């Protein structure tokens, strides 16, 4: 569901309209036409739906601009016929930040409703309970429509059907007390249960959009729960689960050809350079090969790269991020204080990839 027609940009955030959004006015026009509704009334209905979507955009900006305050960017806001989606680069794992970002959207709708209600109260005319279609062109009718629709958006979004706003609020509140994975599992379970309710109600009562929203929520809740579970499994991998014990250790005075022979004989990816048994640095297979190709003379000490060691009990994910940032293919591992193992980027990637593929 990515991409769409760009509408405008505000504070660096693009607002897009997905092509399926056009199905909405088309659907309203078709329903009106098939029931013999007057053209003006159909246009009014479409206009009212567009007003709702302006409020939806403001709601999404509530999320996006709050996220900006926590340094989280938003790629774009996309309008779909079932609502708006702000594509945040990430959701902060700090439950307080997730709570603030999430609650900001529905609060925008509450503020619009209160402001519109205030305007009605000031002008002294209450059309709040009158039939909208009897007097749609009046200013007060539009205001009362704003009150009703925004109260509706506010309450609907607070339904704890994860990953709807209410579900995210529930998850953030739970994860103040519980591990994030468990909190997500609970919120996703509640979300899927409610989503099935939406689908059933939508099908039985002839509300196809509600059924569609239910289906969407059901799938999205499962996907996000799975993603969080994967993240927490990846985080549970320690350096000692992936490291290679007994790496090839060679003295710094060894010439490159002999080192290459030993490296290829043992099918190692990396070798550890030692000076009288003490760790000096690492040499990767590629670096050694390049040095051989250009025919550099000399010994291993010239190639040894002093990569700072990690501990065997460290979590592996930050180590991978560090290796990527420093551009090193391996790090030495301290086991009980001395460098006696190596962790290569390839082994780490394999370990993480197998966690991703694992559909437990
Ligand atoms: Zn929202």
């Amino acid at each position: 569901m990515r991409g769409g027609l760009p509408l405008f940009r505000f504070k660096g955030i693009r607002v897009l309209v997905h092509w399926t959004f056009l199905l909405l006015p088309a659907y309203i026009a078709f329903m009106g036409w098939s029931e013999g509704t007057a053209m003006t009334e159909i246009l009014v209905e479409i206009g009212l739906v567009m007003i709702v979507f302006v409020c939806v955009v403001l709601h999404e900006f509530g999320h996006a601009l709050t996220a900006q305050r926590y340094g989280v960017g938003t790629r774009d806001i996309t309008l779909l016929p079932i609502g708006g989606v702000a594509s945040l680069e990430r959701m902060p794992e700090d439950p307080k930040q997730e709570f603030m970002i999430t609650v900001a959207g529905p609060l925008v709708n509450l503020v619009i409703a209160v402001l519109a209600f205030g305007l009605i109260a000031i002008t002294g005319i209450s059309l709040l309970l009158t039939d909208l279609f009897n007097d749609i062109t009046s200013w007060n009718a539009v205001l009362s429509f704003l009150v009703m629709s925004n109260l509706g958006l506010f309450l609907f979004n607070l339904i704890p059907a994860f990953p709807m706003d209410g579900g995210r609020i529930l998850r953030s509140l739970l994860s103040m007390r519980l591990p994030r994975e468990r909190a997500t599992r609970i919120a996703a379970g509640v979300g899927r249960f409610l989503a099935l309710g939406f689908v059933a109600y939508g099908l039985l009562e002839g509300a196809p959009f509600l059924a569609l929203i239910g289906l969407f929520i059901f799938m999205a809740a499962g996907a996000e729960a799975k993603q969080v579970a994967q993240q927490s499994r990846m985080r549970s991998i320690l350096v000692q689960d992936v490291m290679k014990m007994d790496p090839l250790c060679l003295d710094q005075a060894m010439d490159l050809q002999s080192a290459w022979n030993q490296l290829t004989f043992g099918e190692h990816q990396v070798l550890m350079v030692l000076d009288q048994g003490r760790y000096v640095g690492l040499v990767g297979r590629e670096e050694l090969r390049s040095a051989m190709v250009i025919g550099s003379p000399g010994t291993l000490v010239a190639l040894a790269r002093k990569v700072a060691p990690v501990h065997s009990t460290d979590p592996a994910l930050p180590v991978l991020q560090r290796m990527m940032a420093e551009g090193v293919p391996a790090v030495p591992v301290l086991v009980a204080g001395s460098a006696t193992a190596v962790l290569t980027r390839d082994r780490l990637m394999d370990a993480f990839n197998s966690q991703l593929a694992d559909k437990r």
Side-chain angles (χ1 to χ4, degrees), residues 27 37 109-110 132 162 166 178 195 222 225 244 259 286 318 322 334 358:
Y27 174 79
T37 315
N109 297 117
L110 187 63
L132 202 54
F162 188 82
L178 300 172
K244 188 173 187 301
E286 289 307 312
R322 198 192 108 192
L334 295 177
D358 185 1

Side-chain angles (χ1 to χ4, degrees), residues 187-250:
V190 173
R192 292 176 118 177
F193 178 76
L194 290 172
L196 285 179
F198 285 1
V199 173
Y201 184 86
L203 292 179
L204 292 174
E205 299 293 320
F209 276 115
L210 191 63
L212 199 65
I213 290 172
L215 198 66
F216 180 74
I217 291 171
F218 189 84
M219 292 189 304
E224 182 144 348
K226 198 176 131 195
Q227 190 198 337
V228 171
Q230 276 170 349
Q231 278 172 356
S232 90
R233 283 209 304 275
M234 281 166 92
R235 233 172 249 135
S236 70
I237 300 178
L238 301 179
V239 167
Q240 61 194 9
D241 303 328
V242 197
M243 69 187 185
K244 188 173 187 301
M245 290 300 287
D246 302 320
L248 178 61
C249 295
L250 299 175

Side-chain angles (χ1 to χ4, degrees), residues 94-352:
D94 177 353
K96 277 197 205 95
Q97 295 188 0
E98 178 176 41
F99 178 83
M100 295 305 282
I101 292 172
T102 310
V103 89
L107 279 185
V108 167
N109 297 117
L110 187 63
V111 167
I112 297 173
V114 168
L115 288 180
F117 185 80
L119 275 174
I120 294 172
I122 289 166
T123 50
I125 309 160
S126 178
L127 282 174
L128 217 54
L129 297 174
T130 56
D131 182 5
L132 202 54
F133 291 100
N134 289 339
D135 191 13
I136 190 57
T137 48
S138 86
W139 182 232
N140 275 282
V142 174
L143 282 178
S144 59
F145 177 73
L146 272 179
V147 173
M148 288 312 192
S149 56
N150 278 284
L151 275 183
L153 283 172
F154 174 71
L155 293 174
F156 183 71
N157 277 290
L158 286 185
I159 297 173
F162 188 82
M164 268 173 57
D165 293 344
R168 281 192 192 285
I169 291 169
L170 175 65
R171 195 255 302 262
S172 66
L173 292 176
L174 287 172
S175 47
M176 288 177 192
R177 289 290 170 89
L178 300 172
R180 188 170 148 91
E181 188 193 355
R182 180 125 179 267
T184 307
R185 246 199 339 261
I186 296 171
V190 173
R192 292 176 118 177
F193 178 76
L194 290 172
L196 285 179
F198 285 1
V199 173
Y201 184 86
L203 292 179
L204 292 174
E205 299 293 320
F209 276 115
L210 191 63
L212 199 65
I213 290 172
L215 198 66
F216 180 74
I217 291 171
F218 189 84
M219 292 189 304
E224 182 144 348
K226 198 176 131 195
Q227 190 198 337
V228 171
Q230 276 170 349
Q231 278 172 356
S232 90
R233 283 209 304 275
M234 281 166 92
R235 233 172 249 135
S236 70
I237 300 178
L238 301 179
V239 167
Q240 61 194 9
D241 303 328
V242 197
M243 69 187 185
K244 188 173 187 301
M245 290 300 287
D246 302 320
L248 178 61
C249 295
L250 299 175
D251 192 80
Q252 60 173 354
M254 184 177 273
D255 67 281
L256 300 188
Q257 183 62 55
S258 314
W260 177 254
N261 292 344
Q262 294 222 29
L263 189 86
T264 46
F265 178 74
E267 293 180 6
H268 297 283
Q269 292 304 313
V270 65
L271 66 87
M272 206 181 266
V273 181
L274 304 181
D275 174 22
Q276 292 171 345
R278 284 212 335 273
Y279 166 72
V280 173
L282 293 180
V283 178
R285 191 188 175 98
E286 289 307 312
E287 297 157 79
L288 187 54
R289 196 214 305 269
S290 318
M292 303 277 297
V293 167
I294 59 169
S296 2
T299 55
L300 279 176
V301 70
L303 289 182
R305 187 164 170 184
K306 187 148 183 75
V307 181
V310 296
H311 291 272
S312 56
T313 49
D314 288 347
L317 190 58
V319 176
L320 179 64
Q321 284 157 348
R322 198 192 108 192
M323 285 160 112
M324 296 293 205
E326 293 177 12
V328 294
V331 289
V333 183
L334 295 177
V335 183
S338 64
T340 48
V342 286
L343 183 59
T344 62
R345 204 159 63 191
D346 294 347
R347 283 175 81 102
L348 263 179
M349 300 286 267
D350 285 350
F352 287 133

